[in-house]
Amino acid sequence: EEPRLRTWELHAVEVVGSGLKEEERVGEYKQPRWSVERLFPTTRIYVLPEGAVHGEIWTRVQEPRHGDTRIRDYYEVEWGLPNRFQVDFYLVADHTGEWEPGAINQQMIEGRYAFADWDEIWGNPTVYLEYIHRNDDPESIEGKLLLGGEAAPGWHWGTNFSCEQEVSGSEERELQVTGGLSRTIVDDKFSLGVETKAQQTDEKDSRSDNEHVFEIGPSMRWLPTDAMHVDFTPLIGIGPDSPGMEVFLIV
């Protein structure tokens, strides 16, 4: 019996006409190699291949126009399960005004399900449900619809529609749309693109008093080794409700 292969060792089940290694189809769901590693920090796409186990470390820095900087460190483990399911678990250190990467104050668990093998349905629709436990703030539930695919050889895109709802307290509700477009520069090594995030936030007692956020910025993914990827995205806020800058770094 063949030993379990790590995701970068998976044999191609189909070689597509672009000639790019990262667009070869791999795994049980015949998905492209580029979809196995995270492409955009703000926008998720599809699921991991069955049997895959990945780990990620995030740093997310939000610099508001007024007030203290907010720094969040995420420690994430992802499992690819049979039948196009995926489950992720996060530990989060979320702090305002100071960096405390080891002071965990949130725990998150996330599940995903893709409706079909890759390219059988346009956009490869995938549903996502996340439960967020905060030590000192209300808990939340978040649902998302994930879409993504290949616009042309070497061009990859993703779009997410999401709603996060607090279950107690002020019952803050956050509606969000994110999107990304990426272009391969060096096959299976380096990509550049752009990401955007639009968000509306309100609370139980003031649903008509909405806060609107819009951010846009460049996106980079680098694979220094077969077993490692680095994503970097600095987003610039536009409008009075938006932060001045929000920066994502994922390894």
Side-chain angles (χ1 to χ4, degrees):
E1 183 178 347
E2 184 176 6
R4 185 181 69 84
L5 299 176
R6 291 166 291 189
T7 48
W8 61 90
E9 299 172 327
L10 291 172
H11 305 305
V13 296
E14 179 185 351
V15 179
V16 297
S18 70
L20 295 173
K21 178 182 177 183
E22 65 183 29
E23 293 185 352
E24 293 175 349
R25 302 299 191 251
V26 299
E28 292 290 329
Y29 316 139
K30 299 182 180 179
Q31 64 194 101
R33 291 189 190 276
W34 66 263
S35 71
V36 174
E37 304 288 353
R38 187 186 299 273
L39 183 59
F40 304 111
T42 64
T43 304
R44 292 154 172 78
I45 298 170
Y46 206 58
V47 293
L48 288 177
E50 179 181 342
V53 181
H54 286 190
E56 292 184 336
I57 298 174
W58 298 47
T59 295
R60 178 179 176 183
V61 180
Q62 188 177 76
E63 189 66 50
R65 297 184 186 277
H66 307 284
D68 293 330
T69 300
R70 184 178 182 183
I71 303 173
R72 279 167 278 184
D73 294 283
Y74 299 73
Y75 308 93
E76 178 184 8
V77 181
E78 310 170 326
W79 292 270
L81 303 178
N83 301 310
R84 300 185 303 277
F85 280 96
Q86 176 178 330
V87 65
D88 300 359
F89 180 71
Y90 300 76
L91 297 175
V92 184
D94 186 352
H95 299 279
T96 300
E98 55 189 357
W99 187 47
E100 297 184 68
I104 304 299
N105 55 16
Q106 293 184 26
Q107 302 82 40
M108 302 153 63
I109 186 166
E110 163 199 324
R112 299 189 211 180
Y113 172 71
F115 289 103
D117 289 353
W118 188 267
D119 263 355
E120 290 190 2
I121 303 175
W122 181 87
N124 304 294
T126 302
V127 288
Y128 163 120
L129 185 65
E130 183 174 68
Y131 168 74
I132 305 164
H133 171 77
R134 301 181 177 95
N135 294 359
D136 303 314
D137 293 301
E139 299 172 351
S140 296
I141 296 174
E142 181 178 27
K144 290 187 181 184
L145 173 64
L146 318 182
L147 301 172
E150 296 172 1
W155 288 92
H156 309 139
W157 66 276
T159 300
N160 293 173
F161 301 90
S162 68
C163 176
E164 180 179 333
Q165 178 69 57
E166 289 183 347
V167 298
S168 61
S170 64
E171 297 184 13
E172 181 180 276
R173 179 174 60 198
E174 179 183 288
L175 303 176
Q176 188 179 101
V177 179
T178 63
L181 179 66
S182 179
R183 169 63 174 164
T184 299
I185 306 300
V186 180
D187 184 21
D188 206 36
K189 285 296 181 185
F190 188 71
S191 300
L192 287 175
V194 63
E195 291 186 57
T196 63
K197 180 172 78 170
Q199 178 178 301
Q200 175 185 295
T201 306
D202 56 42
E203 296 183 351
K204 176 178 59 176
D205 296 330
S206 56
R207 294 298 185 199
S208 60
D209 183 16
N210 301 321
E211 178 183 275
H212 297 91
V213 169
F214 181 76
E215 300 172 14
I216 188 169
S219 179
M220 179 205 80
R221 181 175 74 166
W222 173 42
L223 286 80
T225 72
D226 288 337
M228 181 179 181
H229 72 94
V230 179
D231 298 273
F232 177 67
T233 297
L235 298 178
I236 305 299
I238 298 174
D241 293 337
S242 303
M245 176 173 285
E246 188 169 18
V247 179
F248 297 81
L249 175 65
I250 303 176
V251 179

